[in-house]
């Protein structure tokens, strides 16, 4: 069997004394567009930060293509949740997108013409080449999310971790971003996408990870995204789900 792209063994994470993730085991194979589903506070963002080596873990081991994340930084791109980004930071769209090139540069190396071309192409892919010189803070939520995805494309990574990329974006942006993510998966890239809209899980993803501090289930959407597993995952929030008609 080939090495999984992401392998998580017995991962537990606490903040101070509060447990966020408990004994998580996961193996993700390449070429999947995998939704990560769970209620608020389930540990979804924590899982990403642990995979990225951004937080201390209590127990467990994490491997990316069989290696430690420290040796794989270039290959993994992370798009954080929108509310974790400082939008008032003075930077143009082009500045932000070009940041995706830095992992490919040595400290003394400057960005060159080819980096700018890659950035231009990423902006074209996202349908926003005309925004290159605008300040990031002036843009709409949908436009900002397109910029962050353009930066991610610019990194030419193999693995994408996207934290709620569809929150606060318009329908056209959601469709555009989804098309790009599905294309990346078809090209053998591996994508984990934290997602909160249960009604679009089946249309957006081929796999799903369902967590609520513990792993509930991971597998093909067709087989594991069942009413029973949704109930298990959102147990504490059942009254809300009944009201929305998602389960009943
Ligand atoms: P999700 O992304 O699924 O909403 P998180 O991974 O952000 O959940 O958070 C999981 C739990 O850990 C929550 O109870 C949250 O309050 C807590 N938590 C997250 N980040 C921190 C932090 N930096 N310090 C303390 N507690 C945190
Ligand atoms: Mg989160």
């Amino acid at each position: 069997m080939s090495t999984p792209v992401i392998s998580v063994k017995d991962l537990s994470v606490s903040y101070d004394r509060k447990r966020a993730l408990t004994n998580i085991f996961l193996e993700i194979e390449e070429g999947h567009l995998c939704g990560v589903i769970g209620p608020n506070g389930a540990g979804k963002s924590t899982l990403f930060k642990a995979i990225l080596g951004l937080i201390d873990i209590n127990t467990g081991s994490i491997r990316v293509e069989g290696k430690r994340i420290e040796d794989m930084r270039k290959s993994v791109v992370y798009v954080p949740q929108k509310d974790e980004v400082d939008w008032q930071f003075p930077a143009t769209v082009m500045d932000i997108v070009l940041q995706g090139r830095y992992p490919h540069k040595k400290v003394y190396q400057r960005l060159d013409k080819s980096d700018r071309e890659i950035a231009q192409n990423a902006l074209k892919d996202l349908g926003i080449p005309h925004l290159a010189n605008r300040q990031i803070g002036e843009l709409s939520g949908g436009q900002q999310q397109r910029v962050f995805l353009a930066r991610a494309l610019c990194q030419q990574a193999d693995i994408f971790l996207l934290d709620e990329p569809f929150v606060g974006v318009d329908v056209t942006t959601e469709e555009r971003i989804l098309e790009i993510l599905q294309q990346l998966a078809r090209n053998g890239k591996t994508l984990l996408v934290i997602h909160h809209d249960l009604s679009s899980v089946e249309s957006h993803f081929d796999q799903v990870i369902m967590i609520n501090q513990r792993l509930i289930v991971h597998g093909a959407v067709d087989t594991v995204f069942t009413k029973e597993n949704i109930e298990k995952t959102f147990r504490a929030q059942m009254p809300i789900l009944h009201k929305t008609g998602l389960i009943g």
Side-chain angles (χ1 to χ4, degrees), residues 37-39 41-42 210-216 232-236:
I37 310 294
M210 303 176 77
I211 59 171
N212 191 349
Q213 188 187 316
R214 293 173 182 278
L215 180 70
I216 309 298
K232 266 193 209 165
T233 309
F234 291 88
R235 191 156 275 157

Side-chain angles (χ1 to χ4, degrees), residues 6-246:
I6 298 171
S7 157
V8 173
K9 290 205 176 87
D10 198 22
L11 171 68
S12 294
V13 179
S14 305
Y15 294 103
D16 303 319
R17 250 168 293 148
K18 189 171 178 295
R19 199 36 100 72
L21 290 173
T22 303
N23 306 121
I24 304 285
F25 287 81
L26 276 173
E27 291 203 336
I28 322 278
E29 307 288 337
E30 77 172 20
H32 289 293
L33 177 52
C34 180
V36 180
I37 310 294
N40 271 336
K44 305 180 296 295
S45 298
T46 300
L47 174 66
F48 277 13
K49 288 173 189 168
I51 292 171
L52 291 156
L54 299 177
I55 53 172
D56 291 334
I57 64 177
N58 298 34
T59 65
S61 79
I62 294 163
R63 289 289 177 273
V64 176
E65 288 173 8
K67 303 196 183 96
R68 291 152 49 90
I69 180 68
E70 289 76 11
D71 304 320
M72 293 298 292
R73 293 238 174 261
K74 249 193 268 186
S75 310
V76 185
V77 67
Y78 170 47
V79 179
Q81 219 165 326
K82 256 170 126 267
D83 60 13
E84 292 193 14
V85 178
D86 176 10
W87 300 102
Q88 294 318 309
F89 186 76
T92 66
V93 166
M94 191 46 127
D95 293 335
I96 303 269
V97 175
L98 279 170
Q99 288 171 352
R101 298 306 303 155
Y102 286 121
H104 294 274
K105 299 280 155 180
K106 308 243 164 55
V107 265
Y108 52 82
Q109 250 185 331
R110 289 171 176 249
L111 296 169
D112 57 28
K113 198 163 154 248
S114 78
D115 295 310
R116 281 171 207 287
E117 274 170 19
I118 292 168
Q120 282 292 356
N121 285 334
L123 286 172
K124 274 189 212 144
D125 285 344
L126 271 304
I128 50 168
H130 55 289
L131 298 181
N133 298 318
R134 294 276 296 279
Q135 289 291 316
I136 186 78
E138 298 172 353
L139 306 184
S140 73
Q143 290 169 330
Q144 288 174 336
Q145 201 57 265
R146 288 181 192 227
V147 172
F148 278 77
L149 195 64
R151 174 172 69 180
L153 292 182
C154 231
Q155 192 177 323
Q156 299 178 322
D158 296 322
I159 301 161
F160 290 71
L161 304 184
L162 310 175
D163 199 338
E164 307 221 13
F166 301 118
V167 166
V169 309
D170 51 286
V171 180
T172 328
T173 300
E174 174 146 1
E175 282 168 1
R176 185 75 174 230
I177 291 179
L178 182 63
E179 264 171 42
I180 290 172
L181 302 186
Q182 288 175 334
Q183 184 65 47
L184 288 165
R186 278 195 295 275
N187 292 340
K189 311 292 186 191
T190 306
L191 303 101
L192 298 189
V193 180
I194 297 177
H195 190 66
H196 78 273
D197 176 14
L198 296 182
S199 69
S200 55
V201 168
E202 283 153 312
S203 60
H204 282 27
F205 307 108
D206 70 299
Q207 283 196 352
V208 70
I209 293 168
M210 303 176 77
I211 59 171
N212 191 349
Q213 188 187 316
R214 293 173 182 278
L215 180 70
I216 309 298
V217 71
H218 166 223
V221 168
D222 298 348
T223 44
V224 308
F225 190 64
T226 59
K227 185 175 163 230
E228 192 193 352
N229 283 330
I230 294 171
E231 285 180 4
K232 266 193 209 165
T233 309
F234 291 88
R235 191 156 275 157
Q237 303 188 347
M238 295 312 285
I240 300 168
L241 288 177
H242 280 290
K243 262 191 221 149
T244 58
L246 276 160

